[in-house]
Amino acid sequence: MTTLVSGAVLGALYALMASGLSLVWTTLGVFNFAHGALMMIGAFVAWTVSEPLGLGLWVGMIAGVGAAALLGVIIEFLLVRPFYGRPNMLLITVMTTLAAMIIMEKAAQIIWGARLKQLPRLIDGDVSFFGAVFSAHEALIVLIAPMILIALWAFATKTATGRSLRAVGQNQDAAALLGINVPLTFALAFGLGAGLAGLTGVLLGGIRFVTPSLGVEPLVKAMIVVIFGGLGSLGATVGAAFVIGMAEAFLVLFVGLYWTPFMLFFGLIIVLVFRPNGLFGRA
């Protein structure tokens, strides 16, 4: 049962982060490799507001998510937008977002230093579930993540702004002819994705230490989730996140922490050999 709970927590965190990555891919057709660094920035800003400034974790969470979203919009405006329409746009944005990741990690090390930091938990105490004891913070993550993802799905399917995101992702020229502000929609997608990354960082900061490299490993896992589930589908991304989270928890139990990344990548390769569009993707 402890392993199942651990898998559910990992799946919830991966779903939050991967959904932001998937949103940017679906709308713009590019991967934002600065996504993990945005998660780290969100955690550091939340720590600064909640601890040194003493304003509390909930205010820190709002500040961290807002800072990450703002940085996402800035990255889109400065490092992605100038290359729209170019034949090699995908390759260029890989390099520019990787550069943004390195810059943010080095800036975080200069501003906050290399000393380990940790955010307080959203809720103190422990929860017992069928003999498994885990923190109330982790239980809240498992409860909060589906609610946020359902809200994101409702936004994307039930609101005019959300439908404009989907329209731009399907056909930019047709969306522009219908009067949709395509550059503004791109900025919104980057901002939403970055905000989800910042939220993930705040939640993860109550479990792990916050360091300038906090987002590196989760970024790799989020990319595995997006590709494993099938590019371009929020539902597939969420489903794949929980599959990967459960798989990682059981692999750590049975084969150990050292071999788990290898097994995850090997499983991804096997899935893509037989299902090139991902486990839940459609041709």
Side-chain angles (χ1 to χ4, degrees):
M1 184 55 68
T2 302
T3 304
L4 287 173
V5 171
S6 177
V9 173
L10 289 174
L13 290 170
Y14 293 159
L16 283 176
M17 190 172 184
S19 60
L21 204 61
S22 177
L23 179 64
V24 172
W25 172 265
T26 302
T27 308
L28 285 83
V30 299
F31 269 119
N32 178 17
F33 283 88
H35 205 70
L38 290 166
M39 186 184 83
M40 172 269 298
I41 292 293
F44 268 122
V45 170
W47 176 85
T48 302
V49 172
S50 63
E51 295 296 313
L53 297 182
L55 298 179
L57 179 59
W58 292 98
V59 177
M61 177 185 293
I62 294 172
V65 172
L70 178 61
L71 274 175
V73 173
I74 293 173
I75 289 171
E76 187 276 335
F77 183 76
L78 295 179
L79 301 179
V80 179
R81 186 174 299 187
F83 308 107
Y84 288 152
R86 294 196 181 186
N88 55 349
M89 176 187 171
L90 183 59
L91 178 60
I92 293 174
T93 53
V94 167
M95 294 185 291
T96 55
T97 55
L98 278 173
M101 177 192 73
I102 295 171
I103 291 170
M104 283 191 285
E105 286 182 357
K106 300 305 179 184
Q109 191 165 2
I110 293 171
I111 296 170
W112 287 285
R115 183 180 175 184
L116 298 176
K117 300 170 178 63
Q118 188 166 29
L119 283 162
R121 295 179 175 182
L122 293 172
I123 299 179
D124 293 325
D126 295 323
V127 175
S128 179
F129 184 73
F130 285 99
V133 179
F134 53 100
S135 69
H137 177 86
E138 292 174 319
L140 191 60
I141 290 175
V142 176
L143 293 175
I144 286 177
M147 296 171 61
I148 294 173
L149 294 169
I150 290 171
L152 180 63
W153 170 83
F155 169 77
T157 57
K158 305 299 183 181
T159 67
T161 304
R163 286 193 292 268
S164 68
L165 282 171
R166 298 168 63 198
V168 169
Q170 292 175 7
N171 191 314
Q172 296 176 21
D173 294 332
L177 289 173
L178 291 172
I180 297 174
N181 189 329
V182 175
L184 181 62
T185 304
F186 285 160
L188 176 62
F190 250 82
L192 282 174
L196 287 169
L199 176 61
T200 309
V202 175
L203 296 175
L204 189 60
I207 302 173
R208 300 181 184 178
F209 288 112
V210 180
T211 67
S213 61
L214 173 70
V216 174
E217 181 186 352
L219 173 64
V220 175
K221 299 289 178 58
M223 291 182 64
I224 292 176
V225 166
V226 173
I227 298 171
F228 183 84
L231 294 170
S233 172
L234 178 61
T237 298
V238 173
F242 282 96
V243 170
I244 294 294
M246 288 293 178
E248 181 176 352
F250 278 97
L251 284 171
V252 169
L253 177 65
F254 291 111
V255 303
L257 188 63
Y258 181 81
W259 286 100
T260 295
F262 165 78
M263 296 297 292
L264 288 176
F265 275 104
F266 182 74
L268 175 64
I269 293 170
I270 295 298
V271 169
L272 292 181
V273 166
F274 294 99
R275 291 189 61 85
N277 295 300
L279 186 65
F280 305 113
R282 288 177 289 181

